[in-house]
Amino acid sequence: MNYLEIANVSKYYGKFKALDGVNLNIPQGRIIGLLGKNGAGKSTLLRCILGFLKYDGDIKIMDRPVNEKHRTINRDIAFIPDVSSLDDRLTVQQTIDYVSGLNDSWNEETAMKLLKQSDLPFKRKIGKLSKGMKTKLYLLITLSLDVNILLLDEPTLGLDIVFRKEFFNTILGDFYNEDKTIIISTHQVEEVEQILQDIIFIDEGKIVLHEDIEELKQKYSQVIIEQSRKEELELNNAKLIMSSLGKASGIVESSVEISDAEYLRPSLSDLFLLKVGGHNE
Amino acid sequence: MNKFKILLKKDWIINKKSLLIPFWVTAGFYLLMLISLAIAYFHKDATISGFSEFPPFPSGVINYIGNMGIVALPGVISLLITILIMQSALNEDMRKNYELFHRSQPVSLWARVGSKFMMGTAANWAVLFIISIFNFIVLNSVLIYHKQFVFGAAFTGMLQPLVVIMKTGLVLGSMTFFASAIFKDKAFFKGTVVLVSLQFMFLILNAIFNWHIPTPLGLLTNLMETKNLAISGSEISEIDLNYLLKDRWNEILFNMKTVYQILLSAVFFVAATFIYDNREVKID
């Protein structure tokens, strides 16, 4: 069953086309990475899915069209935006009470477990929390919701590395099961690479690629050879050729064989650069 | 219903500071009175002479008129609070980037908007009512002490201006609420500017073409206008208490104007909700 069906969705900001005929089918039980450069349309796509923006085309969440402003879509879907949108005027406890009271999908057991482990000051106003604390609170209350679809837009922005690791390796893992689908839009692709099952590349509002990561990685290899043999990479039509510490590396199709070369699985960021273009910094 | 209570609680927390302003002003007023009394008490030359003599009118009329005044100050402040809350009701979350969080909650938009509307009207009225009851107790303690207290007249005297303020607040508040759906900043001011501009346009058109189209401000003031409750000095001795306690209710509340006021407020509320519903949650 497809949890999300996006058909020919376009979105304009004035004359700027932020989304250009996006077509996507997102099935049940997948963890999907949404990758794109700044301004590629990631946040716009997520906000169109949630019905926050007007768009052309059709989006269905679990067979219910978003355009018809079904408020019930929020029963199935939870969202963490890239900017802290928690209400600064409420305290941590008031925020938890507010979200738990309005969401039938609130899981008290999960919430207790997550919030107990956190060092959140429950009586403090949100406005007095650090950016990291706000993000942490947002993540924990959102993960306390038993929803089928979770949209994360740069979820760990502003968090320290310890919590980021904990979030991606443990907390998100506890949330996920085969009934749920998680879409993560992030720049810190290395952190999520291990947990992603599918990847979507978006560029200039268009979906460039939507594929199973394992299958994608099997199609390409990263080849490392001596710097002096760099031209062999070019001869084999390698992309993203780089030189460093006397070695040269490049991405080639898996069928390509170069003698005495070291073969590695390409990283997601390499594959992104390969498909979308840009500089490998 | 339970979810609506949660929305009301959240909106109460958010608007608490504004809603309690009339409390603090009233408290300040009482503090000043206490200080004045203390000065008078400790100052040998001063005498405290309030309510020691009563005019030769029936007790009921004195109770009625005396209690009318206790609503005036908190009432005016309450109207200002209505404007303050209503003009930011649909914009504050957007301006402060909270909109995404609140719109992500699975609750009907009508309930969300209704809760905000309730803060500017019902919650504000509740605060005003509590202050009025407090003032009522304080003032009438003096009347009870002097054996001049007539509950029916006193309570009606307090209640009638309260109802007038509530009705004015309803129309003014819902108009401001509607303006807040159209203008994202300084909604009351901008709404007033539009209204005044329309007024001038209608006046000019009427003058040029010799038309008699009712002007928007004329219509609105007529709609908001309620029976003038003031009683002049010459009227006091002749006024019929029965008229004050019974017939005046027909002039104040039980008439078609009240129905129009409620209908107009409902139209403003519904229109504001539709406009708000069609707003996009922009990306910063």
Side-chain angles (χ1 to χ4, degrees), chain A residues 11-25:
Chain A
K11 167 71 190 169
Y12 285 88
Y13 293 117
K15 286 182 180 173
F16 174 69
K17 202 169 194 178
L19 291 179
D20 187 359
V22 171
N23 288 292
L24 277 174
N25 284 318

Side-chain angles (χ1 to χ4, degrees), chain A residues 3-265:
Chain A
Y3 269 4
L4 264 174
E5 288 171 32
I6 300 170
N8 206 21
V9 166
S10 296
K11 167 71 190 169
Y12 285 88
Y13 293 117
K15 286 182 180 173
F16 174 69
K17 202 169 194 178
L19 291 179
D20 187 359
V22 171
N23 288 292
L24 277 174
N25 284 318
I26 310 285
Q28 172 183 356
R30 305 294 287 176
I31 304 180
I32 302 150
L34 178 63
L35 234 63
K37 299 173 193 167
N38 285 336
K42 302 186 295 291
S43 293
T44 301
L45 178 60
L46 294 183
R47 288 173 203 217
C48 284
I49 291 171
L50 288 151
F52 292 156
L53 298 173
K54 289 175 198 162
Y55 54 84
D56 300 321
D58 296 305
I59 300 178
K60 282 184 183 176
I61 295 175
M62 302 184 82
D63 272 342
R64 287 195 299 270
V66 173
N67 249 348
E68 289 179 15
K69 293 184 188 295
H70 281 281
R71 297 296 153 194
T72 48
I73 62 164
N74 294 118
R75 287 183 201 157
D76 300 314
I77 197 162
F79 172 58
I80 298 178
D82 54 343
V83 285
S84 170
S85 65
L86 288 177
D87 199 320
D88 283 349
R89 299 162 295 187
L90 303 174
T91 64
V92 171
Q93 188 60 55
Q94 285 164 349
T95 305
I96 293 166
D97 293 344
Y98 174 65
V99 174
S100 64
L102 291 183
N103 285 273
D104 297 331
S105 55
W106 180 261
N107 187 324
E108 189 64 29
E109 197 183 322
T110 310
M112 290 295 284
K113 187 180 153 197
L114 290 173
L115 293 165
K116 251 185 188 172
Q117 289 166 359
S118 76
D119 50 354
L120 290 164
F122 290 90
K123 286 182 181 168
R124 198 177 299 172
K125 283 214 167 171
I126 303 288
K128 299 256 169 78
L129 297 181
S130 67
K131 196 182 171 195
M133 281 280 196
K134 283 183 193 177
T135 310
K136 193 189 266 191
L137 174 64
Y138 213 147
L139 287 174
L140 296 184
I141 55 175
T142 307
L143 293 180
S144 301
L145 300 171
D146 241 337
V147 289
N148 291 316
I149 306 163
L150 180 62
L151 303 184
L152 305 171
D153 192 0
E154 299 287 353
T156 53
L157 220 60
L159 287 174
D160 61 66
I161 191 159
V162 177
F163 189 77
R164 287 208 311 263
K165 283 265 176 202
E166 191 188 343
F167 175 73
F168 284 123
N169 295 341
T170 316
I171 301 173
L172 201 58
D174 287 346
F175 172 85
Y176 176 74
N177 64 42
E178 285 176 359
D179 292 330
K180 296 178 178 183
T181 286
I182 304 173
I183 300 179
I184 308 169
S185 158
T186 180
H187 281 96
Q188 288 153 332
V189 66
E190 297 80 9
E191 286 184 346
V192 290
E193 193 164 349
Q194 300 308 314
I195 62 166
L196 296 180
Q197 295 166 323
D198 296 346
I199 190 75
I200 296 168
F201 292 157
I202 184 168
D203 191 43
E204 294 179 348
K206 290 179 184 166
I207 301 298
V208 177
L209 177 137
H210 177 199
E211 205 165 333
D212 181 295
I213 287 181
E214 279 309 307
E215 286 174 20
L216 179 67
K217 285 192 172 182
Q218 277 170 15
K219 287 181 184 171
Y220 299 95
S221 299
Q222 185 184 22
V223 185
I224 303 169
I225 55 174
E226 293 299 322
Q227 172 77 33
S228 54
R229 296 169 61 201
K230 189 177 174 182
E231 61 276 12
E232 285 182 51
L233 290 173
E234 285 158 5
L235 284 172
N236 283 287
N237 211 17
K239 305 278 190 255
L240 303 175
I241 298 171
M242 288 190 302
S243 299
S244 174
L245 302 170
K247 301 273 184 185
S249 69
I251 308 291
V252 293
E253 286 184 13
S254 297
S255 54
V256 172
E257 284 186 21
I258 301 173
S259 59
D260 298 326
E262 188 184 345
Y263 285 86
L264 297 174
R265 277 163 66 90

